[in-house]
Amino acid sequence: MTDNIRLAHGFGGRLTQELLDELILPALSGREGHAITLDAALIEDIETPLAFSTDSFTISPIFFPGGDIGKLAVCGTLNDVAMIGARPRYLSLSLLIEEGLPLDDLRRVMASIGDTCRGQGVEVVTGDTKVLERGALDKLFINTTGIGPRLTGPLGPAQVREGDAILISGTIGDHGAAILNEREQMGFRGELKSDCAPLWPIVQAAHEAAADKLHALRDPTRGGLAATLNEFATDTGLQYVIQEQNLPIRDDVAAFLEVLGLDPLPLANEGKCLLFVDPSAAGDVLDAVRSAPYGENATQIGHVEPAKRRGRVVLQTAIGTRRVIEMPLEAGLPRIC
């Protein structure tokens, strides 16, 4: 093989087969071998009901502190499946590659995809590879589709009740701050890194602690807490009250945002989830989540109240006042996922 991707790698001929056999498949399966030429996977060992989700990832840069586009593409879709109480089992993987991408970069991304999938017991069972001419896209775009059996629930806005505790599995704003610092070369000398991580272990721990007292889950990705809580408030017609002093923020992220004058609430997260739980189970869920991978900083940030007119999100400030948190008007930073 050459050192860089060529258009011929996407034409379906010998170079395509070499790319699959020598780079892509070994990264996913851990063994070399000829790619079986089927265009679909037959799945016969999966229970019902099923969760099914798809997403596309176009982040810039494709490598960043705490992750890369491959890990992000796997975690993003697995987390969407997990947020409705399903254990991710199988994944499809489609690569859109710009001509000229160094093969070492693609090899690094594929290794990250393989490691992340194996770590979660997820198998890539089908996929596609396309190569586009130079300038048609920026380096590498990835689409993933996940599927898995639902093990708990139903979970979602329809199950949220007045009085529910609102928990979060860890610190907020890590991903958005890390990408902003890396992309704009702002030179902040802290330890800013993305929180990109799979969330199924946290979901499983919360379910085992709360059973049907776990009412809803959502990972606050694009638009951060501000967008996700407003979506839920609109769907449920309830009021969510968030305690400012309880919002968990890393010291380096807080310092970075203070310098720039940015609000952490609309910043993206890629390894955190909100949990809506019956208040009688909140303590047990917090203990369980804190014992799970990536959940050590879990805390309660608020509760659900009845709404007087419409669903809305209210921030209870540290000095005792209240202000409404609106849905973000637009993405503050594009191509973050």
Side-chain angles (χ1 to χ4, degrees), residues 37-156:
T37 54
L38 292 177
D39 287 333
L42 183 61
I43 298 175
E44 298 179 298
D45 64 339
I46 198 164
E47 306 86 352
T48 56
L50 297 176
F52 182 53
S53 182
T54 190
D55 207 345
S56 296
F57 298 85
T58 66
I59 191 168
S60 174
I62 62 172
F63 300 106
F64 50 85
D68 56 74
I69 191 172
K71 181 180 181 181
L72 183 71
V74 173
C75 291
T77 292
L78 299 191
N79 291 345
D80 286 344
V81 172
M83 289 302 103
I84 57 173
R87 178 172 188 168
R89 291 277 301 279
Y90 298 104
L91 198 71
S92 74
L93 175 70
S94 293
L95 304 171
L96 297 175
I97 310 171
E98 183 186 24
E99 176 191 14
L101 180 75
L103 282 174
D104 282 346
D105 285 357
L106 183 59
R107 189 174 288 108
R108 183 177 165 189
V109 170
M110 293 307 305
S112 179
I113 291 172
D115 290 345
T116 307
C117 286
R118 283 188 289 274
Q120 296 301 301
V122 171
E123 185 178 354
V124 177
V125 292
T126 188
D128 185 44
T129 301
K130 293 287 190 301
V131 178
L132 284 77
E133 62 272 22
R134 197 182 301 267
L137 72 161
D138 185 8
K139 297 181 179 63
L140 176 64
F141 293 169
I142 298 178
N143 174 270
T144 48
T145 299
I147 189 169
R150 195 186 74 192
L151 300 184
T152 182
L155 301 174

Side-chain angles (χ1 to χ4, degrees), residues 232-248:
F232 263 59
T234 300
D235 290 345
T236 62
L238 296 172
Q239 176 165 288
Y240 300 146
V241 179
I242 304 303
Q243 304 293 329
E244 183 178 37
Q245 69 269 27
N246 290 354
L247 292 174

Side-chain angles (χ1 to χ4, degrees), residues 213-234:
K213 292 182 179 178
L214 176 63
H215 294 159
L217 298 164
R218 183 66 65 85
D219 54 338
T221 53
R222 281 180 299 181
L225 286 186
T228 301
L229 289 171
N230 270 286
E231 289 173 4
F232 263 59
T234 300

